[in-house]
Amino acid sequence: MKIAVPKERRPHERRVAASPATVGKLVALGCKVVVETGAGRAASIPDRAFAEAGAAIAAGAAEALSDADIVLKVQRPLIAGEDEPDEVALMKEGAILVGILSALQHPDHVAAYAEAGLTSFSLELLPRITRAQPMDVLSSQSNIAGYKAAVDAAAELGRAFPMMMTAAGTIPPARVLVLGAGVAGLQAIATARRLGAIVTGYDVRAAAREQVESLGARFLDVGADADAETAGGYAKEMDADYRRRQEAALAEALPAQDVVICTALIPGRPAPLLITDDMVRGMKQGAVIVDLAVEQGGNSEPSRPGRTVTRHGVRVLGPANMPSRLAEDASAMYARNLLAFLTPFFGEQGFAIDWEDEIAAACLITREGAAVHPMLVEEAVA
């Protein structure tokens, strides 16, 4: 069983889909692991470290991918019409592709996997069940993103986060509002609190209040809706009446904030717009917004992917691929997620996927030349 770990080639991507620790464990399972040269360089993992763990080092993508049984990726591979090389064309028919493939957002890539005869698993679709927690790529990467958002906000803000009592006078603590209390939001709250800020959290889900308050933050109450949560634990899109109440509450809260960290997302939909240009106009001069939702459209109207803009005296950060900015830790966590996903399929008879397993079924995108995920099949029929 050959497992390939190619270099990531998409812009702003510094992570790698394996670590020396996970390579060693895959080798112990009886696999041959091949890592493309330079794959871990941006994550501070030299080829030497992979080789010492038991991996072979391939000179390029073709050598790594051509006869691989399993291909581990962070982001989706390149396809025809994108930059060279066409990674999908280099994979053999029947190979298993595993990664954060963003399958529902990129049906053209799904079609390419099916045409190439790949069996593909898109791990952002993992079910939120206890058994899947060690494999939860969204949680591991969101933890990194939430932490980094708070640190970047503190670095960008022209004042200190904690209260400081000095002979020259007292500096009051900064005020931070975190929109969205999922994994990234809760980590941002915890980090901003550790840095000494007064923190308020907001989420449409009623259950989020307890989580926010358990971290020592206040909860911005808009009249949270008990029915605002999907069966999978994600936020739903809210009705017009709720959005009006939300807008009024945020317009009142924002002028007092020094920092706003935006993390609100709705699976399969554009990010909800929470902060309008008029709201930004009413904020403090020198305030900072960090919009982690910018790549899905953004929670803040002035946000621009991969750019920092100044609007009405407010600095608005739109970081591209925030987890990649802490590539060493993000890669280590992601590699463990992949190992946890693959390990149950190894047994006395070798590697065999249990197609009835609810985790495998939830992530399976293509098999035997066709798209098989229910959401993709339904979309194609519609």
Side-chain angles (χ1 to χ4, degrees):
M1 176 66 67
K2 175 182 172 180
I3 298 179
V5 181
K7 185 188 304 182
E8 297 294 320
R9 289 177 162 81
R10 295 198 174 275
H12 310 294
E13 187 53 77
R14 300 171 61 223
R15 294 170 291 178
V16 61
S19 68
T22 61
V23 165
K25 291 180 179 179
L26 290 168
V27 170
L29 288 170
C31 300
K32 176 184 179 181
V33 181
V34 178
V35 178
E36 183 181 354
T37 185
R41 188 176 299 125
S44 304
I45 308 174
D47 291 349
R48 180 184 68 256
F50 283 123
E52 290 172 352
I57 306 301
E63 182 181 335
L65 294 172
S66 60
D67 59 346
D69 302 294
I70 300 174
V71 177
L72 303 182
K73 290 281 294 177
V74 179
Q75 293 201 49
R76 65 195 188 281
L78 298 175
I79 63 173
E82 297 187 294
D83 290 340
E84 295 294 335
D86 179 344
E87 293 175 290
V88 169
L90 295 176
M91 299 179 201
K92 71 178 184 180
E93 184 176 356
I96 297 168
L97 170 65
V98 184
I100 304 174
L101 305 180
S102 303
L104 302 183
Q105 289 75 40
H106 297 280
D108 54 334
H109 284 71
V110 173
Y113 310 151
E115 185 177 351
L118 303 181
T119 296
S120 59
F121 291 94
S122 199
L123 294 192
E124 75 277 6
L125 300 175
L126 277 162
R128 302 193 86 177
I129 59 176
T130 301
R131 188 163 61 90
Q133 287 179 353
M135 316 168 192
D136 190 345
V137 296
L138 293 184
S139 289
S140 72
Q141 303 307 292
S142 293
N143 263 308
I144 293 287
Y147 163 80
K148 183 62 170 164
V151 171
D152 282 3
E156 191 73 28
L157 187 65
R159 52 168 305 186
F161 263 38
M163 175 185 285
M164 294 185 180
M165 300 179 70
T166 75
T170 299
I171 298 174
R175 293 182 176 273
V176 176
L177 174 61
V178 178
L179 303 180
V183 174
L186 292 173
Q187 184 59 251
I189 289 170
T191 303
R193 285 275 298 149
R194 287 196 293 269
L195 291 172
I198 294 174
V199 184
T200 301
Y202 165 71
D203 199 284
V204 299
R205 299 165 298 155
R209 174 189 285 273
E210 182 178 351
Q211 296 170 312
V212 168
E213 292 177 346
S214 73
L215 295 173
R218 303 170 182 175
F219 187 76
L220 180 64
D221 194 352
V222 180
D225 191 334
D227 191 37
E229 192 169 344
T230 67
Y234 296 101
K236 291 182 179 178
E237 189 167 18
M238 305 306 292
D239 61 26
D241 177 63
Y242 184 92
R243 291 198 299 271
R244 281 192 293 271
R245 286 186 282 128
Q246 173 182 267
E247 184 175 350
L250 290 177
E252 182 178 350
L254 285 170
Q257 307 303 318
D258 298 291
V259 168
V260 182
I261 298 174
C262 303
T263 73
L265 292 171
I266 301 171
R269 302 292 299 275
L273 178 62
L274 302 178
I275 302 176
T276 64
D277 188 73
D278 282 344
M279 291 181 187
V280 175
R281 190 190 306 274
M283 292 178 66
K284 293 179 180 179
Q285 294 288 294
V288 173
I289 296 173
V290 182
D291 194 345
L292 292 183
V294 68
E295 291 175 302
Q296 283 74 48
N299 296 149
S300 165
E301 192 171 7
S303 301
R304 298 293 180 269
R307 294 176 54 196
T308 296
V309 300
T310 300
R311 187 70 174 167
H312 308 303
V314 176
R315 298 277 284 172
V316 185
L317 282 63
N321 195 350
M322 184 67 98
S324 185
R325 298 180 64 186
L326 292 177
E328 187 172 348
D329 286 334
S331 296
M333 295 172 72
Y334 181 70
R336 289 196 291 269
N337 293 147
L338 292 180
L339 179 67
F341 178 75
L342 293 174
T343 300
F345 301 128
F346 285 92
E348 293 181 0
Q349 305 302 316
F351 184 86
I353 296 172
D354 178 3
W355 302 108
E356 302 301 319
D357 180 81
E358 62 181 320
I359 292 175
C363 302
L364 183 62
I365 298 301
T366 60
R367 185 185 178 197
E368 297 178 348
V372 297
H373 193 277
M375 294 182 69
L376 292 167
V377 174
E378 289 168 9
E379 185 175 299
V381 171

